[in-house]
Amino acid sequence: MKLVGIVGSIAEESYNRKLMMFIANRFNNLADIEILSLKDVPMFSEDNDQTNSMAVQYLKHRIEGADGVIMVTPEHNHTTTAVLKSTIEWLSYKIHPLKDKPVLILGVSYFTQGSSRAQLDLRGILEAPGVNALVMPGNEFLLGNVRDAFDEDDNLKDGRTVKFLGDILGQFTKWVSVLKALKGPEAPDAWKNEDLTASGKTDTTIEGVDMDDPKWVEKASEIKHAASGKDYVKLDSGVLTVDQINWLLKSIPAELTYVDDNNQFIYYNHKNPDTKMFAKRRPDQTGNPLSMVHPDVRNVFDHVKQVVHTLRTGKTDMFQLAEPVDRKNVKWVVNNYQAIHDEDGNYRGVNEIVLDFWPIVQKYLEMTGQKLVDDPNNKVDTGASASVKEDDQPAKAAPAQPAADTGASASVSDDASASQPAPTQTPTQPADTGASASVEADDAPMPEVDTTASVSVSDK
């Protein structure tokens, strides 16, 4: 279960933040809890609409992607804090991520009431029209005299308090599960809400340059003082210069595209002119929202929304579309759409990998001395695969290599004699479906899309 924690304080030393950190660490067996910061959220003002600011949009996306929310509030003048109240104003002004979202309220204070009045105040705010959060009823955690509650390692000292807190969190996770079950499956047309115009923000969005600016890369790099050339970059498994990273990415024998979690097209491994690419892209398109790099023809927008929504919501981590071709054994171009996640498992965009698999299959056949033959029992939609109609004239199949070295074959069985050559696959034998150009995609649930309509990035 994925939960987010919000602390109603931006103070450097906050006992309520200590409580939230303790919960996230101690009870990680119940849920994965990501703690969100309110430090950069501006004060609410209708005269200065900051709904699309990075700080507000970041909270929106994290709350929408969570199963529930834990709010920990201090008590200021018998109410919740100004920063938490202001944040909820942004989250109920033009956007409503807390609507029908399960929320658990907790809090600590210096005195004996344990922020009871602040919790009651916060409950009323969250249940107000426009916010419409589902606040867990009944249970309250009111920890007073908090100065003496934590040890030097910021752990709660009293075992009974820890047990009571664990019981409440256990009840909350069960309640979240029940609400999720009652809500039922996602609406079939939920994908229609996917915003291809990238009108929101994510924490990696670069502001200050128009998305349709043909010099987006140069201007965005200048704004962020981006490393370039011989500057070194520390990666998870190495240290490379920017030049080396570019060389590495361009050497990959596939076309790579990165679309971020705000549906903004921010990178491709530019190495060929668009006329020589399977999925045509141009340098001046980098930075555009998806709505600009895809033509609005043949329902392409709907197909793109379905694919992105399928990946965003975790229905699958990989979606594949094969480009239609005219002949067999010529090319087999597959568009792989891979969901990108950060180290916390949050969706961070799509990596589109476009690759012609035929040269790989052809090399395999040459090395193993096999060839592809038609499978009369295989019913494949010729409009969506590399197969062709029976009356089409196929290209010449890859030549069989009867003298292939079995030591180089990936299909030699364990009990095969090392001195025996690999057998040639004859036309009377059914084709090996593992090497077939018409192999079916994974049986993970996929959206209903027109497989003849490519969702590759294309000319405006």
Side-chain angles (χ1 to χ4, degrees):
M1 180 176 294
K2 175 69 176 179
L3 304 176
V4 294
I6 297 177
V7 181
S9 173
I10 56 175
E12 292 294 332
E13 290 293 327
S14 166
Y15 284 107
N16 283 277
R17 181 171 290 106
K18 287 184 179 181
L19 177 64
M20 190 72 254
M21 293 291 293
F22 175 78
I23 290 171
N25 293 326
R26 180 62 178 267
F27 301 106
N28 57 11
N29 61 313
L30 295 176
D32 176 16
I33 304 174
E34 178 187 8
I35 303 175
L36 307 178
S37 172
L38 306 184
K39 187 175 181 180
D40 297 324
V41 179
M43 290 298 293
F44 178 77
S45 172
E46 291 186 16
D47 296 330
N48 182 22
D49 187 1
Q50 296 293 309
T51 301
N52 281 334
S53 68
M54 190 176 299
V56 174
Q57 287 291 319
Y58 179 78
L59 290 176
K60 171 183 178 291
H61 289 307
R62 288 294 178 263
I63 292 171
E64 287 179 340
D67 297 306
V69 180
I70 300 175
M71 289 192 181
V72 181
T73 177
E75 183 166 307
H76 291 179
N77 296 327
H78 295 183
T79 68
T80 191
T81 60
V83 66
L84 186 53
K85 176 64 164 63
S86 177
T87 298
I88 297 174
E89 292 284 1
W90 286 125
L91 299 178
S92 59
Y93 178 45
K94 292 184 176 179
I95 55 177
H96 305 275
L98 289 168
K99 185 178 185 300
D100 296 331
K101 187 71 65 173
V103 179
L104 173 65
I105 299 176
L106 306 171
V108 302
S109 71
Y110 293 159
F111 307 107
T112 57
Q113 285 94 351
S115 77
S116 60
R117 288 167 293 196
Q119 291 190 41
L120 183 61
D121 177 60
L122 180 57
R123 181 181 293 271
I125 294 170
L126 291 171
E127 293 177 344
V131 185
N132 298 113
L134 299 176
V135 184
M136 184 176 175
N139 295 272
E140 290 183 317
F141 181 81
L142 309 172
L143 180 60
N145 303 313
V146 71
R147 288 187 182 93
D148 301 321
F150 292 90
D151 61 21
E152 62 274 10
D153 296 321
D154 292 336
N155 294 316
L156 288 173
K157 293 188 290 187
D158 184 68
R160 292 174 301 174
T161 301
V162 174
K163 182 180 183 305
F164 180 62
L165 180 59
D167 290 343
I168 289 179
L169 289 168
Q171 293 173 36
F172 179 64
T173 55
K174 290 179 182 178
W175 188 61
V176 170
S177 298
V178 169
L179 289 176
K180 190 173 183 179
L182 290 174
K183 188 177 180 180
E186 183 183 70
D189 62 348
W191 57 267
K192 292 182 178 180
N193 297 322
E194 193 67 45
D195 179 17
L196 300 185
T197 66
S199 62
K201 297 287 188 300
T202 185
D203 58 324
T204 55
T205 299
I206 299 176
E207 301 186 87
V209 56
D210 292 336
M211 291 184 181
D212 59 352
D213 194 317
K215 296 293 185 181
W216 182 87
V217 173
E218 292 78 6
K219 293 181 179 180
S221 298
E222 183 178 355
I223 290 172
K224 290 298 182 181
H225 308 289
S228 62
K230 300 184 185 304
D231 291 345
Y232 284 92
V233 178
K234 179 184 177 182
L235 304 171
D236 287 345
S237 302
V239 177
L240 302 174
T241 66
V242 177
D243 284 338
Q244 288 174 318
I245 294 172
N246 274 318
W247 300 334
L248 175 65
L249 291 172
K250 288 181 180 179
S251 72
I252 295 174
E255 297 172 4
L256 307 180
T257 296
Y258 189 179
V259 174
D260 71 9
D261 47 327
N262 191 40
N263 289 337
Q264 184 181 10
F265 168 41
I266 59 174
Y267 172 79
Y268 75 102
N269 59 339
H270 174 53
K271 57 183 178 180
N272 292 318
D274 61 321
T275 55
K276 294 185 177 180
M277 298 181 69
F278 297 122
K280 293 177 170 52
R281 306 177 184 88
R282 303 188 310 272
D284 63 300
Q285 291 178 309
T286 309
N288 288 177
L290 279 182
S291 59
M292 290 184 63
V293 296
H294 283 290
D296 191 13
V297 295
R298 293 171 58 205
N299 296 322
V300 165
F301 275 12
D302 284 350
H303 302 323
V304 175
K305 287 183 178 182
Q306 287 175 303
V307 171
V308 174
H309 185 76
T310 299
L311 298 172
R312 185 188 298 277
T313 55
K315 292 182 175 66
T316 181
D317 282 338
M318 171 71 82
F319 184 82
Q320 294 182 324
L321 284 178
E323 293 287 345
V325 294
D326 298 324
R327 296 182 300 168
K328 296 178 183 179
N329 303 336
V330 176
K331 68 175 181 177
W332 180 243
V333 179
V334 179
N335 296 58
N336 298 273
Y337 301 91
Q338 175 73 52
I340 298 174
H341 297 92
D342 62 20
E343 59 277 4
D344 295 321
N346 299 307
Y347 172 82
R348 301 315 305 260
V350 181
N351 177 19
E352 179 188 3
I353 308 168
V354 182
L355 180 64
D356 181 4
F357 279 92
W358 172 243
I360 300 172
V361 175
Q362 187 177 37
K363 187 65 177 178
Y364 170 79
L365 296 175
E366 292 174 355
M367 292 179 65
T368 60
Q370 301 183 80
K371 64 181 179 180
L372 299 179
V373 297
D374 287 330
D375 180 356
N377 298 318
N378 192 0
K379 297 179 181 179
V380 179
D381 179 6
T382 58
S385 73
S387 302
V388 292
K389 296 178 180 178
E390 292 180 357
D391 56 353
D392 285 343
Q393 180 65 37
K396 185 178 180 181
Q401 301 291 331
D405 178 8
T406 57
S409 172
S411 60
V412 178
S413 60
D414 291 338
D415 57 354
S417 171
S419 61
Q420 234 178 353
T424 301
Q425 187 171 319
T426 64
T428 58
Q429 294 173 316
D432 177 7
T433 56
S436 170
S438 60
V439 65
E440 296 182 0
D442 294 341
D443 56 4
M446 297 298 179
E448 295 295 331
V449 298
D450 176 9
T451 55
T452 64
S454 170
V455 293
S456 304
V457 179
S458 57
D459 292 339
K460 295 178 184 177

